Amino acid sequence: MTKTTKCTRRLVQKFVCIWALVLSTHQVASMDLRSKSEARSHNRVLEANPTKMDNAKSSNHGAKSSKSAKSKSSGSGRGAIFAMTNASGGNEIIMYARKKNGRLRYTGSPFSTGGVGGDLVLQSPPDDPLASQNSLVVADNCLLAVNAGSNTLTSFEIRAEQGNNRGLHQVSIVGSGGEIPVSIAYSSANRFVYALNSGGPGSISGFTLNDECFLEPIPNSIVSLEQEPSDLLPFPDGPPYFISSPAQIDFTPNSQQLLVTIKGIDGNPLSGGTINQFEVGDTGLVSNKRITETGNDSIAPFSFDFDDDENLLVVNAFGSRPPNSENAGSVSLYNFNGINGQISLVQNEPIGQTASCWIKYSNGCAFTTNNGSSSISSLSVSDDNIELIDSVAASLNNPVDEIFSPDGHYLYALSTGHTSGGQPQIYVYNVKNDCSLDEIEVIRDGLPDEFVTSFGAVGLAVF
């Protein structure tokens, strides 16, 4: 991989000035967090939860048409929405019953992951605590969660009876294979799972998931992302780590490739990031790594999704302008027609919002949540083309993750509430045929505020 040119002190000073303005509106409250020695104690986790039988065997299903992280639940029927507290004192899952009309009902007591949320190394504020997408995913009949503070993943079985959810049953806790897991990929075609670890040089690690939701590490599957330490000034004089860290991992719709976005290169976010492609073998091991540098036209490539033609949609937090620029976000469309199947840029579409970091697609419509602008943008996607419909399709305070109902009729978005009292809320929207949104509900039940969690709630998954 070609390394980016080392930035000059003048560029760093310019970035510091811009970053100081951002910190004034995203000031992290002082927190009495655990010591490093306490954090290390959480890392000593058994490969699997001993409450699960040791002889549980992985099952390998035939290929299915659904892409990664899609659930078995019918979109028109009842199901569930899950969120994650990401709390420093113990990570928990919050569960909501999902009604036919899209509305939610808090089901009561949270479910412990047995791990710890957040991590100080990311240097991220509570309105972007993991700087990633897919930290919580539904994998057929299972729910998978990252525990960023204890370097583990937790798997649950979703207990359902005749379409009505009864709750979650914790099945296994496994080491993530690296430091600070932030994103999970799942392929229903072969029940492979990969975790993205954003700490250190970054890494990915593979697992199998059986019918009973038991996670089993795939031997020799850990692959380093080879990110070198930044030579920029350390935070707070230079950029915080999260603005250049790995952001998302996911399988392509045909499950033959695994993709990873990294917002910067070697800790430097000033000249774009990378999109990393891996071929996935029959045993779950990956090979043939290819790296595409996004360059100055795509600063901080954050999260991604796929359209109906299996094109790649990537949201760039700051478009073609320096990190933390206002109203600069964009969405890029890539196909896989490059040399040896490498991705190739087709189009960049500006959306005119700030810190555009999360994107989801369904039925011809894509939506980005824009943390800095406290908004959702809507786009139409068809025939290898993206068109901005509305820069501000909806307003909500400092949003992070979003997720569609399985049929695409409803969109759920998590507002962190960071600059409006610190109370997270889930916004529920009806998605119209023209890619516009009608707000139908806002619910905060069960979600602890950021002063309780320290790091801030994050993650949405649908069943």
Side-chain angles (χ1 to χ4, degrees), residues 277-327:
Q277 293 175 252
F278 302 86
E279 300 294 330
V280 181
D282 293 340
T283 63
L285 296 179
V286 299
S287 61
N288 191 23
K289 180 181 179 181
R290 288 152 289 167
I291 300 172
T292 300
E293 295 189 9
T294 63
N296 290 326
D297 289 334
S298 303
I299 299 297
F302 199 108
S303 65
F304 60 91
D305 204 352
F306 301 91
D307 68 12
D308 292 331
D309 295 319
E310 301 189 0
N311 293 313
L312 176 66
L313 303 173
V314 180
V315 61
N316 310 295
F318 304 108
S320 59
R321 294 169 62 186
N324 300 318
S325 296
E326 294 184 357
N327 304 323

